[in-house]
Structures are given as structure tokens and as C-alpha cells.
Amino acid sequence: MARETKKQTVKAAQASAGMPINIGINDKDRAAIANGLSRLLADTYTLYLTTHNFHWNVTGPMFNTLHTMFMGQYTELWNAVDPVAERIRSLGHFAPGSYGQFGKLTSLPDVPATPPKAMDMIRILVEGNEAVARTARELFPLADKASDEPTADLLTQRLTVHEQNAWMLRSLLED
């Protein structure tokens, strides 16, 4: 991952060589924040894919409820990837966008090859939403140190969604 980070930093520097970025955040902090946002993007996309997979493959007595809930959640995740990627670009870095890059950057496991039972899907999605929340939360100190309010605002929005999704999903596991 360290090699990937250096490559991204060099490419970003080359991309902005024509006109330096002067937004009040130094190069080192912009690179660190962009790297954290890249992990958030990878986690978000991985959770999107898992949630969409479960939407397609859920079965059982809770089918209608879960099919609808998963659709709402994967739609929200799909709409979230663009603002995260565009924030990375605003900081002068390239956003990752391949399965290979996402696989290296994400903290989430890949979706199981065989669709699990509905209750296991719910557990996996609770864990996934909590993992994305942790990834977002880890980035706050960097954004705060750099006075990067747009990133902090984005992180707050993402935390709100993932913590609420985890709560709603977890409530389905209660007896």
C-alpha cells in the first residue's frame, strides 16, 4: 500500500504541475487526506456491491422488507461514491476506480461467493456499515488538523448514514 500511495502522490503532483493548487491545505496534508478518502471510497464501493448483491439474492420470509431496504441502501451508497471521488480530485489527487485498487484499499471483505441466508446478510451489512463508519472517523483528525472543512462535512454525512444503517439493520436481528 505504501508503494501505491507514493505512486498516487507522484501522479497527482504531475497532474497539477501546470498550475499549483493553493487552497490553504499543504501538499502533505492534501495527500494524506486524499489517501484516507481513497480508503473511504473503496469501502463505500465495496459495501455498495455487497448490498446490491444481497438485494438480488435475498430469499426467505423477510424477502420484501429486505429487498426494499437493501435497494434504498445500495442506491444511497451509489450516490455517495461520486462526492467522495470528487473531493479527492478537489485535493489534487486521482481517485481510485478499479476493482484492483478498491481490493487493496478496502477494509471490508469481499461478498461471499454463495449468497448467505437473510439473517447472515443483515449481520454482514451491519459489520460493513460499521467498518465504513470507522474508516470515515479515522480521517477526522487529518481533516481537522488541515482545517479541511469540506472533507469534515463529507465525513459527517457519511457517518450519519452508516451509523443509521447499522442501527436499522441491527434492529432486525433482535428477538
Side-chain angles (χ1 to χ4, degrees), residues 61-146:
M62 292 179 61
F63 171 81
N64 282 330
T65 299
L66 294 178
H67 186 73
T68 301
M69 178 184 241
F70 295 165
M71 183 170 63
Q73 290 181 2
Y74 81 69
T75 300
E76 194 286 329
L77 288 162
W78 176 252
N79 288 323
V81 295
D82 205 49
V84 176
E86 289 180 355
R87 183 65 196 145
I88 294 167
R89 293 298 294 136
S90 295
L91 293 168
H93 293 266
F94 291 115
S98 72
Y99 288 116
Q101 288 174 305
F102 288 157
K104 290 176 186 172
L105 292 167
T106 189
S107 66
L108 280 68
D110 197 5
V111 65
T114 301
K117 298 289 185 190
M119 296 307 276
D120 290 328
M121 288 178 174
I122 295 168
R123 284 183 189 86
I124 289 167
L125 293 177
V126 167
E127 292 168 359
N129 276 281
E130 289 176 344
V132 179
R134 288 190 303 272
T135 299
R137 188 166 270 109
E138 288 171 6
L139 194 48
F140 264 108
L142 290 171
D144 186 47
K145 175 184 170 278

Side-chain angles (χ1 to χ4, degrees), residues 7 13 30 36 40 48 52 62 64 68 83-84 86 92 117 120 126 140 153 157 169-170 173:
K7 284 182 185 177
R30 283 189 296 105
L40 180 63
Y48 156 76
H52 209 155
M62 292 179 61
N64 282 330
T68 301
V84 176
E86 289 180 355
K117 298 289 185 190
D120 290 328
V126 167
F140 264 108
D153 183 53
Q157 293 172 41
L169 289 160
R170 194 180 303 104
L173 299 172

